[in-house]
């Protein structure tokens, strides 16, 4: 592999600090069985190592360093509740070592933890994956160990007798509760939930920009700390003055309302996106370590060609990976983390940049998936069905075996009823039912499909999960106007459906297996409407509309047949015909219909090609090398000047003898472009000899101030899906969006944007046109449920959401902390029996606006914050400030006549 100019030149001693020639392993580590599934946590306290009790797992101190060791059978996950159990030496264990550094940790403790990491790693023969974690920037794997979230205590308070504490709480999936060094307004932010714990009372302050799931989890946490709800008060951002007098007086002693100041844009960690990964090879020259950048566009497994050295994979904010070859020296394995830190410093990356070391043969899933061409083991999910036997997957089997449905992405056998709508610039046209279905690349199509299960067992039907699918297919040349019109039409069918429905949006070249299965391999995609059938009463001998295309005979066309089974097959028009490979099949229609099959094409592929030929009329089978003269005369007008036959030029003028040479040629797409992408997407190229695999990933996703955020959930199960959140399940060939029942209305309408944001920001090579499937909670299809180890359809029957949990606190009921309740009706309470407006969906959404101090809103127009409308300044006041100025609430103010409102705003310099 070629290299670019020298990038780094580290002095050898500088990057190999604290080398231990003869590592002595701490007694705490030697107690761990080498062949055991287990989870352990140790704290570095000055110069000694202390094993943390299980009850303290998930609680950290910000001036300490910690070591976490996790061992699990390959492909499985452990967490803080894992019980140590020994396994046979033949069991393949994945080992992970994390060291966590609090933001106030001393240099001495950082040095001590580095030594201890080397000891623990050497005890397991230097093959464990090592993670460097910092407070506030923990990896997804680290957070996955602590399902109930993490608590970070302030070190300076550990030995203090003071009982009053302030905590900052945030995290859509992984709840973080961080103790503040002081009780002050400076720690408050609109994005946070704050917990003020006094000697006698606990206050839960709800930031206006926090999410309902954060609020709900914070109340659960508060209820653990203070089980007596009479000593628990919920305070809304901007409504502090509305507290009962006794509570307000106590609050004022800690946080004077006269000094109230809440940060509108809280400094929540935001990781920059970097989709361009760089690889450097470590080389020693003249006793110095040089890092030479490899000249690669998309990194592949083959770039790590030298097992005797190490490589650096630079993913910027996503992490710096150190890959160490299996034949590298022990010293290279031991000092890789030091090299990684030196790299971070040289590149001037943030101190918090993750650094991870992996050893060849022990790479974790997070590393492997950065390489689209890396072929995993049989436990990983394929990007297309593994079988190529026609008709193997029947509806009965698929509804009874969700894992098979998920692996194949086949909901049923495709035999259900379907309605097809063609979307043009001017109209929506329902197409007649025919054996062959013709799409054109210039249009979009919407298919309304009814799912079948062929089972009398209601449990089987419930396993399928949905009754209907709305498919939207966009041609590669369709205009934005047409695709938008199709999306609106499809989403309307989805949103107004009166039965369990899923919505799937896809583009040409990225069709899902079930979509193609609906057409049984008989979907024909044409370049323009000039080839659409004129008479659809029967599918044989169809006449062709004569509009012409680039001057060639309008009744002639060449179809390239993709796939070898009904769930991956389609026929795509090719013009001009520029390449024919021995592995491919074509259908040529002129005065006669010819089915041409390359010598290396499979029997299944030939059968599918013959089926397409039969739809166009009486056809003749032509095998490569045995073509009659009439065949070449038929395709002459459809060829390039020089036809490439398996890598050899084949001119129409010299091909009449029917001979051709057998060689290898790159597959060509229907648009004539080479399929040069690293990922083999269904329908885009001929089936690869080795099928790529893809491990499904789950992400919690959300928007905050028009920015996209996501958190990955490793080792996920159904309990990780919260009804108050939105999730993305990336299954490779399709990206699912799961909408919780209680997702806020302003987030729910953005589900397509969420999926697109994910595809554009994921740090691996993904096509932005990857199919997107949208699913509502309780309407999950088998192709989604099969990605989870088990699925409980009644899990959320008694789910208590934030509003209900808040009502329970206000009424003095105990709060259930396991997410389930008894399903009884809950009383409405609070002030005068009503909930505060901040948790209700008010029409004017007063509480969703950013809030600013009165003096800031009374400034000149050019000094106002950017998002403030000068004519609507009043909506940016807090409730308490609004009442102090106008002597009424916003909702009373909003009922006044417009002239009266304007007069009051002028009086208070808000107009």
């Amino acid at each position: 592999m070629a290299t670019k100019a020298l990038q780094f030149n580290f002095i050898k001693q500088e990057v190999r600090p604290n080398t231990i020639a003869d590592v002595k392993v701490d007694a705490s580590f030697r107690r761990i069985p080498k062949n055991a599934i287990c989870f352990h946590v140790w704290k570095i306290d000055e110069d000694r190592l202390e094993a943390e009790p299980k009850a303290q797992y998930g609680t950290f101190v910000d001036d300490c360093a910690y070591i976490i060791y996790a061992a699990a059978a390959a492909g499985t996950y452990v967490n803080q509740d894992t019980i140590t159990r020994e396994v046979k030496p033949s069991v393949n264990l994945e080992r992970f070592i994390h060291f966590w550094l609090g933001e106030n940790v001393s240099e001495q403790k950082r040095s001590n933890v580095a030594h201890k990491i080397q000891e623990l790693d050497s005890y397991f023969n230097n093959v464990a994956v090592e993670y460097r974690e910092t407070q506030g920037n923990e990896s997804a794997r680290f957070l996955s160990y602590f399902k109930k979230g993490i608590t970070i205590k302030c070190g300076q308070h550990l030995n203090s007798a003071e009982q009053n504490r302030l905590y900052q709480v945030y995290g859509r999936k992984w709840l973080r509760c961080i103790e503040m060094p002081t009780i002050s307004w400076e720690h408050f932010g609109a994005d946070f939930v704050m917990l003020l714990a006094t000697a006698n009372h606990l206050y839960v302050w709800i930031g206006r920009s926090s999410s309902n799931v954060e609020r709900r989890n914070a109340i659960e946490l508060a209820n653990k700390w203070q089980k007596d709800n009479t000593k628990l008060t919920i305070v809304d951002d901007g409504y502090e003055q509305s507290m009962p007098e006794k509570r307000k007086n106590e609050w004022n002693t800690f946080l004077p309302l006269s000094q109230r100041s809440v940060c509108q844009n809280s400094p929540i960690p935001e990781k920059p996106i970097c989709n361009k990964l760089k690889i450097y090879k470590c080389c020693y020259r003249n006793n110095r370590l040089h890092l030479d950048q490899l000249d690669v566009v998309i990194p592949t497994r083959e770039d790590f060609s030298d097992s005797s050295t190490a490589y650096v994979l630079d993913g910027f904010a996503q992490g710096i990976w150190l890959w160490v070859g299996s034949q590298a020296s022990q010293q290279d394995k031991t000092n890789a983390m030091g090299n990684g830190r030196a790299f971070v410093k040289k590149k001037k990356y943030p101190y918090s940049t993750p650094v991870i070391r992996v050893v060849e043969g022990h790479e974790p899933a997070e590393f492997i998936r950065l390489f689209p061409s890396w072929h995993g083991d049989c436990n990983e999910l394929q990007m297309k069905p593994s079988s190529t036997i026609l008709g193997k997957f029947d509806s009965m089997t698929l509804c009874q075996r969700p894992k098979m449905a998920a692996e194949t992405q086949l909901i049923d056998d495709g035999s259900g009823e379907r309605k097809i709508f063609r979307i043009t610039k001017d109209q929506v046209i329902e197409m007649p039912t025919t054996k062959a279905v013709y799409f054109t690349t210039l249009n979009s199509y919407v298919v309304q499909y009814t799912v079948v299960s062929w089972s009398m067992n209601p449990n089987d039907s419930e396993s399928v999960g949905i009754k209907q699918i709305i498919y939207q297919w966009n041609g590669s040349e369709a205009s934005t106007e047409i695709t938008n019109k199709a999306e609106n039409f499809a989403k309307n069918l989805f949103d107004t459906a009166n039965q369990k429905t899923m919505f799937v949006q896809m583009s040409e070249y990225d069709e899902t297996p079930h979509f193609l299965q609906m057409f049984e391999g008989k979907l024909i995609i044409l370049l323009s409407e000039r080839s659409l059938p004129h008479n659809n009463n029967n599918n044989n001998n169809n006449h062709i509309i004569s509009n012409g295309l680039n001057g060639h005979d309008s009744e002639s066309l060449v179809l390239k047949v993709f796939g070898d089974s009904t769930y991956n097959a389609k026929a795509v028009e090719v013009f001009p015909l520029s390449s024919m490979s021995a592995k491919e099949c074509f259908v040529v229609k002129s005065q006669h219909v010819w089915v041409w099959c390359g010598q290396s094409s499979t029997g299944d592929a030939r059968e599918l090609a013959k089926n397409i030929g039969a739809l166009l009329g009486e056809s003749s089978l032509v095998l490569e090398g045995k073509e009659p003269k009439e065949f070449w005369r038929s395709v002459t007008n459809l060829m390039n000047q020089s036809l490439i036959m398996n890598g050899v030029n084949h001119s129409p003028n010299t091909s009449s003898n029917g001979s051709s040479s057998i060689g290898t040629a790159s597959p060509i797409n229907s648009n004539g472009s080479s399929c040069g992408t690293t990922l083999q997407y269904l329908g885009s190229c001929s089936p690869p000899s080795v099928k790529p695999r893809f491990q499904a990933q789950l992400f919690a996703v959300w928007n905050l101030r028009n920015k996209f955020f996501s958190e990955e959930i490793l080792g996920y199960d159904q309990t990780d899906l919260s009804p108050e959140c939105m999730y993305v399940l990336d299954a490779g060939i399709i990206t699912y969006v799961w909408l919780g029942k209680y997702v806020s209305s302003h987030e729910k309408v953005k589900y397509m944007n969420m999926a697109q944001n994910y595809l554009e920001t994921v740090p691996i090579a993904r096509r932005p046109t990857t199919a997107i499937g949208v699913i509502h909670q309780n309407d999950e299809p088998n192709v989604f449920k099969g990605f989870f180890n088990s699925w409980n359809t009644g899990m959320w029957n008694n789910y208590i959401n934030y509003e209900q949990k808040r009502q329970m606190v206000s009424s003095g009921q105990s709060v259930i902390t396991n997410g389930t309740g008894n399903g009884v009706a809950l009383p409405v309470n609070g002030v005068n029996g009503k909930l505060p407006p901040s948790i209700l969906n008010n029409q004017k959404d007063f509480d969703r606006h950013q809030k600013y101090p009165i003096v800031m809103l009374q400034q000149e127009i050019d000094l106002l914050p950017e998002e403030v409308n000068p004519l609507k300044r009043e909506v940016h006041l807090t409730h308490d400030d609004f009442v102090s100025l106008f002597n009424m609430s916003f909702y009373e103010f909003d009922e006044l006549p417009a002239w009266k409102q304007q007069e009051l705003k002028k009086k208070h310099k808000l107009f």
Side-chain angles (χ1 to χ4, degrees):
M1 179 68 67
T3 62
K4 292 186 177 180
L6 181 67
Q7 297 293 317
F8 296 92
N9 184 8
F10 298 143
I11 299 174
K12 186 174 182 179
Q13 290 79 6
E14 190 177 74
V15 297
R16 295 172 175 251
N18 306 320
T19 300
I20 301 176
D22 184 18
V23 178
K24 295 180 180 180
V25 178
D26 193 287
S28 294
F29 298 150
R30 290 200 299 270
R31 296 191 189 103
I32 306 172
K34 285 198 173 183
N35 294 304
I37 294 171
C38 58
F39 182 81
H40 296 278
V41 180
W42 298 270
K43 180 169 70 173
I44 302 293
D45 193 355
E46 297 308 329
D47 59 348
R48 66 183 183 277
L49 186 73
E50 292 184 356
E52 287 282 272
K54 270 191 172 290
Q56 291 298 311
Y57 284 4
T59 300
F60 303 90
V61 181
D62 66 4
D63 62 359
C64 291
Y66 293 80
I67 295 175
I68 292 92
Y69 171 70
T76 65
Y77 296 85
V78 295
N79 58 46
Q80 66 184 69
D81 299 320
T82 297
I83 299 174
T84 299
R85 62 184 187 277
E86 294 196 50
V87 295
K88 295 179 180 179
S90 58
V91 175
N92 181 21
L93 290 180
E94 291 182 328
R95 306 178 191 273
F96 297 89
I97 298 173
H98 304 253
F99 61 100
W100 182 91
L101 304 173
E103 65 178 13
N104 296 320
V105 69
S106 66
E107 185 64 39
Q108 182 61 46
K109 290 181 181 179
R110 282 204 298 265
S111 177
N112 290 343
V113 78
H115 280 283
K116 291 301 180 183
I117 285 294
Q118 289 181 348
E119 293 180 29
L120 182 57
D121 190 32
S122 67
Y123 180 65
F124 293 110
N125 301 317
N126 298 100
V127 297
V129 180
E130 291 183 6
Y131 280 81
R132 180 183 184 273
E133 313 276 2
T134 57
Q135 181 179 331
N137 295 276
E138 295 85 1
S139 68
R141 183 171 288 274
F142 179 92
L143 294 170
S144 72
Y145 300 142
F146 310 103
K147 291 281 188 178
K148 298 174 183 177
I150 61 176
T151 299
I152 301 175
K153 292 187 174 181
C154 181
Q156 70 185 53
H157 291 165
L158 282 184
N159 301 317
S160 171
E162 177 64 47
Q163 298 183 49
N164 305 310
R165 297 283 190 271
L166 180 66
Y167 299 87
Q168 202 176 73
V169 180
Y170 67 92
R172 302 282 178 126
K173 173 53 191 172
W174 309 115
L175 191 70
R176 296 169 174 88
C177 178
I178 306 170
E179 184 179 358
M180 298 292 102
T182 59
I183 298 179
S184 169
W185 281 107
E186 67 177 312
H187 304 303
F188 281 66
D191 300 331
F192 300 135
V193 177
M194 306 296 293
L195 301 182
L196 174 62
T198 69
N200 301 311
H201 209 78
L202 182 59
Y203 297 86
V204 183
W205 181 90
I206 307 292
R208 69 183 62 257
S209 299
S210 61
S211 68
N212 277 355
V213 71
E214 289 171 311
R215 300 172 183 183
R216 179 183 185 275
N217 291 339
I219 291 177
E220 281 195 347
L221 181 62
N223 192 250
K224 285 182 183 178
W225 293 358
Q226 179 55 266
K227 296 187 181 298
D228 184 355
N229 280 342
T230 63
K231 295 183 178 181
L232 193 63
T233 297
I234 298 177
V235 184
D236 289 290
D237 180 2
Y239 290 78
E240 293 85 2
Q241 298 283 0
S242 302
M243 275 188 283
E245 200 63 28
K246 182 179 179 181
R247 298 276 72 88
K248 185 167 65 172
N249 290 338
E250 184 181 24
W251 178 279
N252 261 310
T253 62
F254 297 101
L255 294 160
L257 292 175
S258 61
Q259 300 173 18
R260 183 188 187 280
S261 175
V262 175
C263 177
Q264 301 299 320
N265 300 315
S266 307
I268 293 178
E270 181 180 350
K271 294 182 179 180
I273 298 301
C274 176
N275 290 344
K276 295 182 180 179
L277 304 176
K278 299 176 182 178
I279 296 181
Y280 300 84
K281 183 178 181 180
C282 299
C283 304
Y284 288 98
R285 295 192 290 270
N286 299 325
N287 205 36
R288 290 175 177 268
L289 175 63
H290 296 252
L291 297 188
D292 299 329
Q293 184 179 346
L294 303 189
D295 187 14
V296 297
V297 178
I298 298 178
T300 66
R301 169 66 180 85
E302 289 69 31
D303 292 323
F304 303 112
S305 57
D306 188 351
S307 293
S308 65
T309 188
Y311 292 81
V312 176
L313 180 65
D314 182 4
F316 187 41
Q318 279 73 37
I320 304 300
W321 295 83
L322 282 300
W323 183 92
V324 185
S326 58
Q327 304 303 314
S329 66
Q330 285 295 105
Q331 197 173 29
D332 279 337
K333 295 176 182 178
T334 301
N335 295 320
M337 294 298 284
N339 293 347
R341 282 298 299 152
F343 181 89
V344 169
K345 292 177 181 177
K346 283 282 185 178
K347 295 282 281 186
K348 297 182 179 179
Y349 288 164
Y351 167 82
S352 59
T353 301
V355 178
I356 310 102
R357 186 210 71 176
V358 300
V359 178
E360 182 180 10
H362 301 273
E363 298 89 351
E366 301 96 299
F367 182 79
I368 291 175
R369 68 182 179 221
L370 297 173
F371 303 84
S373 62
W374 195 306
H375 303 299
D377 59 33
C378 61
N379 292 325
E380 292 183 329
L381 294 164
Q382 298 184 11
M383 295 188 66
K384 58 170 284 184
S386 56
S387 173
T388 56
I389 302 174
L390 291 169
K392 175 183 176 181
F393 302 108
D394 61 273
S395 293
M396 181 78 75
T397 302
L398 292 167
C399 73
Q400 294 173 344
R401 299 176 62 183
K403 288 192 181 299
M404 175 182 282
E407 181 181 339
T408 62
Q409 281 302 293
L410 295 174
I411 295 172
D412 60 13
D413 63 6
S415 62
E417 180 184 347
R418 67 176 187 245
K419 292 182 180 179
I420 303 177
F421 301 89
R422 182 158 62 99
I423 315 298
T424 67
K425 184 177 180 180
D426 303 318
Q427 54 188 334
V428 175
I429 306 168
E430 183 174 351
M431 299 172 63
T433 303
T434 58
K435 292 181 180 178
V437 177
Y438 295 86
F439 287 179
T440 74
T441 61
L442 299 173
N443 292 326
S444 292
Y445 296 80
V446 172
V447 182
Q448 192 172 8
Y449 177 80
T450 302
V451 178
V452 295
S453 65
W454 300 115
S455 174
M456 301 301 292
N457 188 336
N459 290 332
D460 289 342
S461 297
E462 187 173 288
S463 176
V464 175
I466 56 172
K467 301 292 186 183
Q468 181 179 240
I469 308 172
I470 306 298
Y471 282 109
Q472 178 195 346
W473 182 93
N474 296 322
S476 58
E477 302 297 326
S479 67
T480 302
E481 182 181 359
I482 289 177
T483 57
N484 287 343
K485 184 176 180 181
E487 180 174 319
N488 291 336
F489 178 72
K491 286 172 69 174
N492 182 61
L493 290 177
F494 175 59
D495 294 336
T496 58
N498 56 6
Q499 55 186 331
K500 292 177 177 288
T501 303
M502 176 173 67
F503 171 40
V504 180
Q505 185 184 78
M506 72 189 74
S507 298
E508 187 178 351
Y509 309 129
D510 290 284
E511 295 90 353
T512 63
H514 182 261
F515 180 80
L516 295 175
Q517 177 68 27
M518 288 192 304
F519 306 109
E520 298 179 316
K522 298 171 184 176
L523 174 63
I524 298 174
I525 301 174
L526 304 173
L527 295 178
S528 75
E529 296 183 8
R530 59 99 199 161
S531 300
L532 283 175
H534 181 62
N535 183 356
N536 285 300
N537 291 331
N538 67 68
N539 293 100
N540 293 326
N541 302 312
N542 282 326
H543 297 288
I544 306 297
I545 297 176
S546 298
N547 290 336
L549 178 67
N550 296 335
H552 81 272
D553 182 1
S554 62
E555 293 193 2
S556 301
L557 74 158
V558 176
L559 300 176
K560 181 176 178 179
V561 181
F562 291 94
D564 51 13
S565 183
T566 52
Y567 49 67
N568 65 15
K570 62 181 179 180
V572 181
E573 183 180 5
V574 181
F575 181 81
L577 179 61
S578 57
S579 173
M580 298 177 78
S581 164
K583 295 181 179 180
E584 298 171 335
C585 295
F586 291 85
V587 174
V588 180
K589 176 175 175 56
S590 54
Q591 291 79 13
H592 185 66
V593 178
W594 305 89
V595 178
W596 183 92
C597 298
Q599 291 182 1
S600 300
S601 60
T602 66
D604 287 340
R606 295 180 184 186
E607 286 300 314
L608 290 166
K610 287 193 289 185
N611 290 342
I612 293 293
L615 295 172
L616 301 180
E618 186 177 344
S619 61
S620 300
L621 179 66
V622 177
L623 297 179
E624 180 185 4
K626 299 180 181 179
E627 301 93 341
K629 294 180 180 179
E630 289 79 8
F631 170 79
W632 293 117
R633 292 194 186 104
S634 297
V635 299
T636 297
N637 293 334
L638 303 171
M639 290 182 185
N640 255 347
Q641 289 186 348
S642 181
L643 175 68
I644 306 294
M645 290 289 292
N646 299 302
V648 179
N649 282 356
H650 194 103
S651 171
N653 296 326
T654 60
S655 62
S656 58
N657 59 8
S659 64
S660 64
S661 301
I662 299 177
T664 58
S666 299
I668 301 294
N669 277 335
S670 63
N671 61 4
S673 62
S674 173
C675 269
T677 55
T678 305
L679 278 175
Q680 298 286 345
Y681 286 85
L682 180 67
S684 62
C685 294
S686 298
S689 57
V690 180
K691 299 180 179 70
R693 299 172 184 269
F694 190 93
Q695 190 177 55
Q697 299 168 252
L698 182 68
F699 296 82
V701 296
W702 68 95
N703 271 328
L704 184 61
R705 291 187 294 276
N706 296 320
K707 290 184 180 179
F708 175 76
F709 292 85
S710 66
E711 283 187 322
E712 184 178 5
I713 305 166
L714 286 176
Y716 62 83
D717 57 36
Q718 187 185 356
T719 60
D720 289 306
L721 300 174
S722 168
E724 288 167 289
C725 288
M726 189 183 304
Y727 297 84
V728 162
L729 180 72
D730 187 344
I733 197 169
I734 185 170
T735 296
Y736 287 105
V737 179
W738 185 87
L739 303 175
K741 180 179 179 180
Y742 299 109
V743 171
S744 63
S745 56
H746 72 283
E747 281 191 322
K748 187 173 288 188
V749 297
K750 298 180 179 179
Y751 54 79
M752 294 306 294
N753 290 339
M754 291 285 198
Q756 283 301 135
N757 285 334
Y758 167 78
L759 291 172
E760 292 167 5
T761 58
V762 64
I764 56 177
R766 297 303 308 279
R767 288 162 64 103
T769 54
T770 298
I772 297 170
V774 185
I775 299 166
H776 287 298
Q777 178 189 331
N778 296 324
D779 295 347
E780 297 86 2
N782 51 1
V783 289
F784 177 87
K785 291 185 287 192
F787 287 111
F788 296 79
N789 287 332
S790 60
W791 191 269
N792 177 6
T793 55
M795 175 172 288
W796 299 297
N797 287 352
N798 298 317
Y799 181 84
I800 300 175
N801 63 21
Y802 162 63
E803 284 84 359
Q804 292 170 324
K805 196 172 285 286
R806 178 174 176 139
Q807 290 176 27
M808 294 173 74
V809 170
S810 301
S811 63
Q813 298 182 49
S814 61
V815 177
I816 309 299
T817 59
N818 62 1
T820 60
N822 56 14
V824 299
L826 298 170
V828 177
N829 47 66
V831 181
N832 298 325
K834 297 181 180 179
L835 288 172
S838 58
I839 69 169
L840 299 176
N841 186 21
N842 291 294
Q843 183 179 358
K844 298 296 182 180
D845 257 353
F846 172 74
D847 288 288
R848 289 210 179 278
H849 294 280
Q850 293 289 332
K851 304 301 179 181
Y852 296 97
I854 295 174
V855 291
M856 185 179 293
L857 296 171
Q858 291 174 333
Q859 297 178 110
E860 297 296 326
I861 290 179
D862 56 347
L863 297 177
L864 290 174
E866 185 178 350
E867 63 268 28
V868 173
N869 181 344
L871 300 179
K872 291 288 184 181
R873 304 183 197 208
E874 69 277 7
V875 299
H876 297 282
L877 290 166
T878 67
H879 165 77
D880 292 342
D881 286 342
F882 198 100
V883 173
S884 70
L885 277 182
F886 296 100
N887 292 317
M888 66 183 78
S889 71
F890 170 79
Y891 304 99
E892 293 170 319
F893 174 86
D894 196 54
E895 296 296 324
L896 297 175
W899 67 267
K900 184 65 174 178
Q901 292 182 19
Q902 187 170 328
E903 186 178 276
L904 288 172
K905 288 195 290 184
K906 286 180 178 179
K907 176 182 176 181
H908 298 293
K909 301 179 181 178
L910 290 176
F911 188 79

